[in-house]
Amino acid sequence: MIGRAPGKLIVLGEHSVVYGHRAIAAAVSRGTTVTLEPCAGPTCLGRAPIRDDRLMQAIRAVVPDHGLRVHIDTDLPVGRGMGSSASLSIALLRAVAALRDERPDFRTLHAQGFELERIFHGNPSGLDHAVAALGGALVYRRQEPPTPVTMASLQAVVLDTGVAGDTAALVAGVASRRPAIDGALDRLGELVERALPVLSDPPALGALFNEAHAALRQIGVSTDTLDQLVELALCNGAVGAKLSGAGGGGVVLALTPEGPEALLRAAQRRGIAAFACSLPPSAAPEP
Ligand code: MEV
C-alpha cells in the first residue's frame, strides 16, 4: 500500500501563523512516498532517510503493530523548512488508509496529521500538513479551514543553507522572546494581508519578501548564512528573498521573475546547493 504527499514552501507568514495570523504557502513538486509492505513479525522500519525516536513514535501511533515493513522515500531535504515531516505524516496516514480501503477527507487527514505533527514539532500551527494534504497554494489561519488560492505559478529559486533547523526549538525560542518581539510578529501577519492582492505581481511581492526577512531577523530565527543567501539572491536578479520555514538554517526562497539562471550560476560558483521551482507547481501534486 502506498501513500504520497507533497512538501511545501511558506510564501509569507511563518511563525506569526502560530499566533493566529494568516499565512500563505504552496506545495512543491517534491514530496514523500510511504510504502507499507507485508512481512512476518512485528511492524518495522525499512528504507528511511532518518531513523529517530520521533519517527518511530509517529509510526507506532498510526501503523498496525504487526505484519508491516514501512518504507519512506523522499526527495525533500529533511529539516530545511520544506515540510518534510508534514509530508511524511500525511503520506503515512494515506498509506494506512489505503490498507483499510479508506479515502479520508481533508478534515480527517488534517486532524490526524495534527497529532503526528505534534510528535515532531510540539506546537504546530497546522499549516504544513494543511498544504501536504491539500496541495496547490492556500491561505491558512490556525483553527480555520484553509482557503485555496488561485495564483499564477511564481518562478523562484530555493537556496539551501545545508543546515537543518529544529522547528520545535525555533518555535519555542520565539515564544520565549515574547512579548518583546510581538511588534515584529504582527508585522509578519500584516505582510501576508498586503501580499494577497499582489500575488501575481512579483516586484511588489518581492518587496514584501524583503520586509518579511527583516522581521524574521528581528524575531531571532535568521542566521548569518540565511542573511548572506538573501544578499546573494538580491545581487543576482531576485526581486525579493526571504528565509522560508522555521529558519535557524533551512532555505531561502528568492523570487526570480526574469528566470533562475543568473542566481543558479552564482550559487553554483560558490558551491551553494540551489534549485529552480514554480510555486505552486504547474502540474497538480497527488490529491
Ligand atoms: C514551519 O514550517 C512553520 C512555522 O510557522 C511553524 C508552524 O507553522 O507550525 C515556523
Side-chain angles (χ1 to χ4, degrees):
M1 288 302 152
I2 288 183
R4 292 196 183 91
K8 64 89 186 52
L9 281 164
I10 296 181
V11 177
L12 282 164
E14 47 274 275
H15 287 289
S16 47
V17 68
V18 175
Y19 298 100
H21 295 281
R22 297 204 288 179
I24 308 165
V28 293
S29 55
R30 295 177 171 219
T32 306
T33 301
V34 169
T35 309
L36 301 178
E37 180 190 38
C39 72
T43 288
C44 61
L45 185 59
R47 289 187 307 279
I50 49 159
R51 287 169 187 273
D52 66 13
D53 287 350
R54 291 191 282 195
L55 174 59
M56 295 316 295
Q57 215 183 316
I59 289 173
R60 275 196 301 272
V62 291
V63 182
D65 58 12
H66 226 77
L68 292 167
R69 185 170 291 119
V70 182
H71 298 290
I72 300 167
D73 297 293
T74 186
D75 55 1
L76 289 168
V78 174
R80 303 289 212 285
M82 292 190 65
S84 58
S85 70
S87 162
L88 164 65
S89 299
I90 298 297
L92 196 57
L93 290 167
R94 283 190 170 136
V96 172
L99 197 66
R100 299 185 178 130
D101 210 13
E102 292 169 0
R103 217 178 146 79
D105 60 11
F106 172 77
R107 278 168 65 95
T108 310
L109 266 184
H110 195 253
Q112 294 174 344
F114 196 81
E115 293 311 313
L116 292 188
E117 276 288 88
R118 282 165 65 90
I119 295 174
F120 291 107
H121 290 326
N123 182 25
S125 64
L127 169 64
D128 291 13
H129 62 277
V131 185
L134 269 188
L138 53 85
V139 177
Y140 181 83
R141 193 197 300 275
R142 200 169 183 153
Q143 286 167 352
E144 287 180 10
T147 315
V149 177
T150 313
M151 61 190 264
S153 271
L154 296 168
Q155 284 206 69
V157 169
V158 174
L159 299 155
D160 189 346
T161 60
V163 176
D166 182 333
T167 301
L170 287 149
V171 169
V174 168
S176 74
R177 289 188 281 281
R178 295 185 67 207
I181 57 160
D182 280 359
L185 284 171
D186 289 346
R187 200 150 52 253
L188 285 165
E190 283 157 23
L191 289 168
V192 171
E193 304 306 322
R194 285 167 56 197
L196 286 169
V198 297
L199 283 178
S200 302
D201 178 351
L205 187 60
L208 302 178
F209 269 36
N210 298 338
E211 282 189 53
H213 188 74
L216 288 161
R217 284 181 61 171
Q218 279 171 17
I219 66 168
V221 297
S222 192
T223 63
D224 288 348
T225 309
L226 283 165
D227 296 346
Q228 285 156 13
L229 293 185
V230 165
E231 259 327 290
L232 180 75
L234 296 178
C235 293
N236 287 279
V239 293
K242 60 180 278 289
L243 74 84
S244 177
V251 295
V252 159
L253 173 61
L255 283 184
T256 52
E258 301 299 326
E261 295 79 13
L263 181 49
L264 289 176
R265 269 197 308 275
Q268 195 185 19
R269 276 198 301 275
R270 288 162 182 80
I272 295 162
F275 62 90
C277 71
S278 309
L279 265 189
S282 17
E286 189 78 4

